[in-house]
Amino acid sequence: MEIEIGREAIRKGSAYVKQIDGVSFALLRKYFAVDNAVVARKLALMFFPFRNAEWSSEGGEEIRRAELYVPLMGFVSYVVVRALQMGISGTFSAERLGLVVSRLVVVEAVFVAGTKVAGYFFDVGLGVPEVVSYSGYKYVVVLVWRMSFGYVRWIVGM
């Protein structure tokens, strides 16, 4: 009896895997095609935009290309640092962390919707992944800002 239940579970599991195997992430793959050099150049560009000489040159196409790796890692890192800060202050709970993530997702969705509406009126044709990519860089900057001022307050003893 148990062997038959195990076989049925394996059959259902393999059918589920075959069903998922048909899903293609090829459309999103181009937004995550980065290497360490591109990530370093993007981060340097975020913090020192005035030192970039590639804005108008042909070789700057790679640096201007929308990618989702840095914004997604910035978002995840921001959530982890926020959870760490809540844990240090003794106010951490899964509900509060879920509330933080939910607020961030709602704010990002409102920002993307507003940008798409403004793009319609100004005749700018950006797709949703591009808007999410360009708006997601703010998490990296906010993360660095929060961490740096947190260390300054800790060193000063405030």
Side-chain angles (χ1 to χ4, degrees):
M1 180 75 169
E2 291 84 15
I3 294 175
E4 194 59 39
I5 292 173
R7 287 184 183 151
E8 182 64 25
I10 290 173
R11 269 189 245 118
K12 286 185 179 180
S14 62
Y16 181 70
V17 168
K18 287 179 184 175
Q19 177 186 1
I20 290 178
D21 193 34
V23 176
S24 175
F25 293 103
L27 294 174
L28 288 177
R29 187 164 296 161
K30 69 179 181 178
Y31 295 107
F32 290 96
V34 295
D35 58 357
N36 290 341
V38 172
V39 170
R41 288 175 58 202
K42 289 269 187 169
L43 291 174
L45 179 63
M46 283 181 0
F47 293 106
F48 304 106
F50 48 86
R51 297 196 34 96
N52 186 27
E54 298 177 349
W55 289 112
S56 61
S57 67
E58 291 294 323
E61 186 64 34
E62 184 177 282
I63 200 72
R64 291 188 303 263
R65 184 177 57 92
E67 51 89 18
L68 290 171
Y69 179 78
V70 173
L72 182 65
M73 290 300 110
F75 180 83
V76 170
S77 298
Y78 178 80
V79 170
V80 168
V81 167
R82 187 77 172 104
L84 181 66
Q85 288 174 338
M86 286 190 296
I88 289 172
S89 68
T91 60
F92 178 81
S93 70
E95 293 83 18
R96 288 195 66 200
L97 186 62
L99 186 62
V100 167
V101 173
S102 299
R103 284 181 183 168
L104 288 174
V105 169
V106 167
V107 165
E108 191 68 26
V110 168
F111 183 80
V112 168
T115 304
K116 289 295 286 180
V117 168
Y120 174 76
F121 288 117
F122 291 111
D123 197 26
V124 176
L126 286 176
V128 173
E130 286 87 5
V131 174
V132 171
S133 171
Y134 296 136
S135 73
Y137 290 114
K138 67 181 165 276
Y139 297 111
V140 177
V141 176
V142 168
L143 178 68
V144 169
W145 182 79
R146 277 189 95 130
M147 289 179 62
S148 64
F149 280 106
Y151 288 128
V152 169
R153 279 185 276 164
W154 180 70
I155 290 170
V156 173
M158 296 176 86

